[in-house]
Amino acid sequence: MTFDSVVGQSALTTTLKNAVKSGKLAHAFLFCGPRGVGKTTCARIFAKAINCMNPTADGEACNECESCQSFNEQRSFNIFELDAASNNSVENIKTLMEQTRIPPQVGKYKVFIIDEVHMLSTAAFNAFLKTLEEPPSYVIFILATTEKHKILPTIISRCQIYDFDRMSVPDIINHLKMVAEKEGIRYEEEALNVIAEKADGGMRDALSIFDQCASFSQNDITYAKVIENLNVLDSDNYFRIIDLSLENKVSDIMLLLNSVIAKGFDGGHLINGLAAHVRNVLMAKDEQTLPLLEVSERVKERFREQAKRCPVTFLYDALKIMNRCDINYRQSSNKRLLVELTLIEVAQITQEDDSPGAGRRPARRIKSLFQKIMVNTQSKPAPQVAVSEHGMRREKAASQQPVVTPAANTANTATAANASAPAAPAPQNTGPKPTPKKLGSIITTFDNLRNKTQRIYIKEEDTEVTTTENVPFTQEDLEREWYAMCTRMPQSMVGLSSRMKNISPTITDFPHIELVIDSQLLLDELTPIRGRIRATMAKSLHNKDIQFSMRLAKAEETKKILSKRELFDNLRKENPAIEKLRQLLELEMN
């Protein structure tokens, strides 16, 4: 009924009251902001105040004159409301504009309140624009909207704009307390805090939820009943998860997660709530950011106590992990597993590693999570291989890749030490040592290049094939294994592998194989890896006597590489039935 009854918009209500006192009014006002913050309420109070015959000293309506009484009794002919959501056509606006021609009989102004004005059609906006540009002196328009960006710029430029803010949690709680005291409803402050957070800045939503909870709890609003009625996850769950994570108790966290999901809560909802909780704990570590917590004093004290136990690095890492889970949650096909892995990672942030890794960074190793079930076993020492100075650089690059070991092993054999650190003594091997060979370099076959688990030792120009088999093979076997080798080549050589698929290896004098290459550039690329190709094909075809020769194709030996369309054209020329089938099915080449 009055400006003072509007909650959380003191700056705007003060401006409107000053405009009423001074009598300096614009011909159009635009009230914009989120839902349920008082836009339409302020529009009605303002319309009543500017028509009041005896306004108070502070700009409020007197509620005693004929204009105020007619407004309170909803029989005023000076104030018109139009819901633009359901009356958004040109005809509705023209009808409204017709009423602007008649001056007010009682009062000073005719006020037209258009709610949800962004719902007007473009034609209706254009019909409204002319009247808005040059309205009669006794006409005032008040436009209200939740989506200011949908209004035409020509409309916005002719209005005084008032931006309404979202309600803060303390403002909503104070207003709900006032309502509860007037209605004789008992309440707990924690319960009102949950209602205020659920309202998300809207006072109308807060009052609706408050009324719902009052009916459910029979005018005795408690925290437990509000949590049950609104199906809100209890904040105690978040405090417990963080406490258990600091103690690395993954088993207890998994049991807590299971109980939360059993109550019908979504795992993504738990992760989002936990991320907001960790954010609040981070804010509570500093007294300057403590006011950012929109919670009750008792809950704020709990945040302060937990913040003292949580390292800042733990909070940062936990937020990153949960943010990654939130991004991947919708795409995941096993959402519960993703939530469980996320909570396991959070619970292991403060877990210390029991053994350092090789290289610059310590090895990150997952310990036993649920119970001490790991059995210490003696790891096998790596075989010693003597390599030349030429192969050391490639061996060092391969040794710096992370090696996945079984969970039962507790000791690692360092494959490469930090350049600045002194070399560690090699582990003692009680078994017989293999005889070192004086070789040229270390290289892997295409078959093992991806997993980097086996190595074949080659000489300077060829590969020493480890297979001892001598199985005959046919031209068909050769072409099949050649294509399979090109398919298995690593991603870094995808361009070369696609060109190699166009080469047809030929058995000239078994087991001699000839490669006829139609490009000098491709021949130069294949020459350095000829030994690797020979080793791969020898392993695939089970023949150790395979030999490869490569030469540049002569002019008469080169053939054009046909496209898919050209292949299809040749095929339907050779077989007319294919062309007939294409016509019957009305197929076209894509």
Side-chain angles (χ1 to χ4, degrees):
M1 298 297 293
T2 62
F3 285 117
D4 292 336
S5 64
V6 179
V7 181
Q9 310 294 344
S10 58
L12 297 183
T13 54
T14 301
T15 304
L16 294 176
K17 286 193 292 184
N18 292 336
V20 173
K21 288 190 296 183
S22 63
K24 298 179 180 178
L25 302 175
H27 69 279
F29 297 84
L30 177 60
F31 293 173
C32 49
R35 69 184 191 279
V37 294
K39 300 185 296 296
T40 308
T41 300
C42 283
R44 292 170 180 168
I45 297 173
F46 184 58
K48 182 174 69 170
I50 61 180
N51 272 319
C52 180
M53 298 178 179
N54 302 306
T56 61
D58 57 352
E60 293 279 7
C62 67
N63 286 321
E64 295 178 357
C65 64
E66 174 60 26
S67 177
C68 292
Q69 290 180 1
S70 62
F71 177 83
N72 294 337
E73 297 172 3
Q74 298 182 358
R75 56 181 177 83
S76 175
F77 290 100
N78 291 342
I79 300 174
F80 299 88
E81 286 194 39
L82 177 69
D83 180 18
S86 55
N87 302 280
N88 55 5
S89 63
V90 177
E91 289 74 15
N92 299 125
I93 294 298
K94 287 183 177 179
T95 302
L96 188 68
M97 296 303 102
E98 289 293 331
Q99 298 180 14
T100 62
R101 299 182 180 180
I102 304 173
Q105 303 302 314
V106 178
K108 304 176 183 178
Y109 299 98
K110 266 198 170 182
V111 183
F112 295 87
I113 302 174
I114 304 178
D115 203 4
E116 302 297 336
V117 70
H118 66 275
M119 298 293 289
L120 290 178
S121 63
T122 304
F125 268 127
N126 293 330
F128 177 55
L129 183 59
K130 183 61 178 176
T131 305
L132 188 65
E133 285 179 344
E134 300 174 358
S137 58
Y138 50 82
V139 172
I140 291 180
F141 293 102
I142 303 178
L143 315 179
T145 179
T146 56
E147 301 184 39
K148 173 183 170 183
H149 59 280
K150 292 186 178 180
I151 302 177
L152 296 179
T154 51
I155 299 290
I156 295 178
S157 63
R158 289 167 171 82
C159 300
Q160 278 191 4
I161 302 174
Y162 290 81
D163 290 309
F164 286 68
D165 299 327
R166 292 174 66 253
M167 300 288 181
S168 63
V169 172
D171 287 340
I172 295 177
I173 292 176
N174 293 333
H175 188 68
L176 293 181
K177 287 180 180 179
M178 183 266 294
V179 174
E181 291 172 358
K182 287 186 176 180
E183 298 293 332
I185 299 174
R186 296 184 299 275
Y187 63 88
E188 292 180 1
E189 187 167 351
E190 288 78 9
L192 298 184
N193 187 80
V194 173
I195 295 175
E197 291 181 355
K198 189 76 173 178
D200 193 25
M203 181 60 72
R204 183 172 61 239
D205 293 349
L207 291 172
S208 300
I209 298 172
F210 178 82
D211 190 25
Q212 174 185 342
C213 293
S215 300
F216 176 77
S217 60
Q218 296 182 351
N219 293 338
D220 186 11
I221 301 178
T222 62
Y223 178 78
K225 291 180 180 179
V226 169
I227 290 293
E228 180 184 358
N229 186 29
L230 299 181
N231 199 27
V232 176
L233 194 57
D234 192 353
S235 60
D236 288 340
N237 293 307
Y238 303 136
F239 282 103
R240 287 184 59 195
I241 290 176
I242 297 302
D243 290 337
L244 293 174
S245 298
L246 294 174
E247 300 173 7
N248 310 128
K249 293 183 178 179
V250 180
S251 303
D252 296 337
I253 294 178
M254 293 296 103
L255 294 175
L256 178 58
L257 172 64
N258 184 69
S259 65
V260 169
I261 294 178
K263 294 178 181 178
F265 292 101
D266 183 61
H269 179 67
L270 173 66
I271 293 297
N272 290 333
L274 185 59
H277 176 86
V278 174
R279 175 259 182 195
N280 290 341
V281 175
L282 185 62
M283 295 298 105
K285 289 191 73 69
D286 192 345
E287 291 295 331
Q288 293 182 350
T289 56
L290 192 60
L292 296 179
L293 304 185
E294 296 182 338
V295 294
S296 62
E297 290 299 325
R298 189 182 69 85
V299 178
K300 189 178 295 186
E301 187 61 31
R302 291 188 65 184
F303 275 115
R304 185 187 287 110
E305 292 176 359
Q306 191 171 69
K308 295 177 181 178
R309 302 192 301 271
C310 295
V312 176
T313 54
F314 165 78
L315 300 175
Y316 285 153
D317 293 341
L319 285 174
K320 291 178 183 177
I321 292 171
M322 287 182 286
N323 182 59
R324 185 172 67 245
C325 176
D326 183 47
I327 294 173
N328 299 329
Y329 188 78
R330 291 186 178 180
Q331 306 175 15
S332 176
S333 58
N334 192 342
K335 301 184 185 302
R336 174 163 182 169
L337 179 60
L338 178 62
V339 173
E340 289 175 345
L341 290 175
T342 300
L343 295 178
I344 289 173
E345 287 187 67
V346 173
Q348 287 192 329
I349 294 175
T350 59
Q351 189 165 274
E352 297 180 357
D353 295 323
D354 56 354
S355 61
R360 297 182 178 180
R361 298 182 62 182
R364 291 199 57 86
R365 176 183 292 190
I366 297 180
K367 293 183 180 180
S368 175
L369 300 180
F370 301 99
Q371 56 183 348
K372 298 296 182 180
I373 60 174
M374 297 173 61
V375 181
N376 293 332
T377 57
Q378 195 172 21
S379 61
K380 297 180 181 180
Q384 298 179 359
V385 180
V387 295
S388 66
E389 183 177 354
H390 175 73
M392 284 298 293
R393 184 173 301 171
R394 189 181 299 171
E395 174 66 19
K396 182 177 180 181
S399 65
Q400 291 178 351
Q401 299 294 330
V403 180
V404 180
T405 60
N409 292 340
T410 57
N412 290 338
T413 303
T415 58
N418 193 356
S420 61
Q428 297 296 329
N429 189 359
T430 57
K433 298 181 179 179
T435 305
K437 297 180 180 180
K438 198 169 186 180
L439 303 176
S441 61
I442 298 175
I443 200 166
T444 61
T445 64
F446 293 128
D447 207 12
N448 299 318
L449 192 61
R450 294 180 185 272
N451 52 29
K452 299 183 178 64
T453 56
Q454 301 179 5
R455 293 189 177 91
I456 292 180
Y457 300 91
I458 65 169
K459 297 177 183 179
E460 286 297 336
E461 295 181 356
D462 205 355
T463 302
E464 181 180 341
V465 181
T466 56
T467 182
T468 58
E469 299 177 285
N470 195 359
V471 180
F473 57 89
T474 63
Q475 177 68 27
E476 182 180 355
D477 297 333
L478 174 62
E479 293 177 357
R480 183 182 65 252
E481 295 301 331
W482 175 268
Y483 188 84
M485 179 193 68
C486 296
T487 305
R488 293 194 304 268
M489 291 176 69
Q491 187 68 25
S492 58
M493 306 175 72
V494 63
L496 179 59
S497 67
S498 63
R499 294 193 295 272
M500 288 175 62
K501 290 178 182 178
N502 296 324
I503 301 175
S504 298
T506 307
I507 302 175
T508 55
D509 185 13
F510 188 87
H512 185 272
I513 299 172
E514 184 182 47
L515 300 178
V516 180
I517 303 170
D518 57 358
S519 169
Q520 182 64 44
L521 182 62
L522 181 58
L523 180 62
D524 295 340
E525 287 187 83
L526 292 179
T527 301
I529 62 173
R530 182 178 62 182
R532 188 183 304 180
I533 296 174
R534 175 177 175 271
T536 303
M537 295 301 295
K539 180 180 178 181
S540 302
L541 295 171
H542 308 286
N543 193 305
K544 63 182 179 62
D545 296 331
I546 286 180
Q547 297 295 329
F548 274 86
S549 64
M550 296 183 292
R551 66 177 177 85
L552 192 63
K554 299 177 182 178
E556 61 272 12
E557 292 177 328
T558 58
K559 61 179 180 179
K560 180 183 177 183
I561 300 177
L562 301 179
S563 63
K564 292 184 178 180
R565 180 178 291 276
E566 292 172 336
L567 289 172
F568 179 73
D569 291 339
N570 294 338
L571 185 61
R572 63 181 178 178
K573 287 178 182 178
E574 297 173 1
N575 193 342
I578 294 180
E579 174 61 21
K580 185 177 180 181
L581 177 64
R582 185 194 69 81
Q583 294 176 357
L584 289 175
L585 298 178
E586 298 182 356
L587 302 179
E588 295 182 359
M589 283 291 292
N590 188 2

